Amino acid sequence: MRIFVKPLLVLPLLLNAITFVNAQVPGTSLAMTPPMGWNSWNVWGCNIDAQKIRDAADRLVATGLAAKGYNYVVIDDCWQGERDAQGELQPNAKFGDMKALADYVHSKGLKIGIYSSPGPRTCQGYLGSQGYEQQDADTFARWGMDFLKYDKCSYKGDDYTAYKIMADAVKKTGRPMLLSACNYGKQKVWQWAAELGYAMWRTTGDIENSWEQMKSNGFSQSKLAEYAGPGHWNDPDMLIVGHLEGRNGRTRPTKLTQVEQYTHISLWALLASPLFIGADLTKLDQFTLDILSHDEVLAINQDPLGQQARRVYQIRRDDIQVWLRPLSDGTYAVGIFNLSDEDRTGPDSLEFNLKTLGFQGDITVRDVWKNQTLNAPKLRLQIPAHGSVLMRVTGTLQPK
Ligand code: GLA
């Protein structure tokens, strides 16, 4: 039988197809909200093995963090062995069967990620993917990887080209993998990584376990806000809470004070940053678990509008900063940060009128961590040195 299709019927179909292509999410539909999970680097460095990855998966589930959305378990550098006669990259003896490891992580309802470099060597001197991109992408897909962190390290040259080769290779495998670009914010990565299919890209150098480094990574992000959105996120690097730095066997607690940890998590929530825990999850204390699991804070980080906060106000250069993030329900997340070394408490408490930001009419304010209503619009806040208040503000905003 001859099927006759009228041209007028075909046209809308064609238009639909074109709209579909145009409507594709920049970055990837795998990350409509900022990706969350655990990564081995900040805690184990090269001191990793398959058992530590399994432990992390077990603990994500047992602590309830997986249920809160932390669902990627990412193996960072140092898992690699040599290439075999066919050029196939092998894991080293501490990992053994990668497919079995991926199956284990999947059996916990989690996803698994792996790490490579566009250079000949990774940052720790293990084999990178240069010249073997398609073969490595195929290997990662066959093992069942769901995520690839691609770290510049020894690569010299045009980053766009190198990151495109791997993104295309991964696409060719047919396996959905969330792509994470790590080139330390070089070559304006935020301008081109999303179009290549990367869901997140590092915007800074490595976060170290220190207040200064967290502050410099996090508070430098305002100018990049326009580049983040559903499917594609700026990444000021992983979280430094919990027990870290176990490269030599013994982990140590974060060097951030509790006050600084609230600031860290509040800022990462406002920035719509990917949330990757870098801690030993077998040693998770209640405080760390609580700040990582706070529903309202996570709701800000994961807000579907996906707008990253901007710095909207500063007093005395950097001492007091106010950051604002519009949310999908029409409310605003607002963070007021005291970056100075002086407490703004007691008689020195901080007075701030939300009208300064352009809020008008009836305003209600909730302190998100404390679950308290604050007097609006005139706030009187107790903020210790390096501390912050994270608020959800309901009201009309006329930006100034
Ligand atoms: C770079 C990255 C880190 C980590 C190490 C591993 O420094 O920025 O996040 O992946 O390499 O060697």
Side-chain angles (χ1 to χ4, degrees), residues 41 76-77 115 123-124 149 151 153 182 184 202 206 237-238:
W41 181 250
D76 206 278
D77 205 350
Y115 167 104
C123 298
Q124 301 305 312
K149 173 171 169 181
D151 192 355
C153 302
C182 177
Y184 334 116
R202 284 271 300 279
D206 288 15
D237 210 356
M238 298 173 283

Side-chain angles (χ1 to χ4, degrees), residues 328-342:
S328 53
D329 66 354
T331 66
Y332 298 85
V334 175
I336 303 192
F337 297 90
N338 174 10
L339 300 184
S340 79
D341 294 333
E342 271 144 46

Side-chain angles (χ1 to χ4, degrees), residues 308-319:
Q308 178 180 320
R310 289 181 164 80
R311 181 171 40 233
V312 289
Y313 196 76
Q314 262 167 299
I315 306 173
R316 272 198 280 139
R317 296 245 308 269
D318 283 351
D319 283 1

Side-chain angles (χ1 to χ4, degrees), residues 259 263 319-321 335-340 342-346 348-352 370 380-391:
V259 163
T263 292
D319 283 1
I320 303 293
Q321 296 194 6
I336 303 192
F337 297 90
N338 174 10
L339 300 184
S340 79
E342 271 144 46
D343 293 341
R344 299 298 302 267
T345 51
D348 296 323
S349 62
L350 180 78
E351 254 184 56
F352 188 77
K370 291 197 180 138
R380 183 168 268 290
L381 304 168
Q382 308 285 334
I383 318 187
H386 302 181
S388 50
V389 178
L390 181 63
M391 300 175 287

Side-chain angles (χ1 to χ4, degrees), residues 109-126:
L110 299 168
K111 296 181 172 149
I112 183 161
I114 199 153
Y115 167 104
S116 193
S117 169
R121 293 275 162 186
T122 69
C123 298
Q124 301 305 312
Y126 289 80

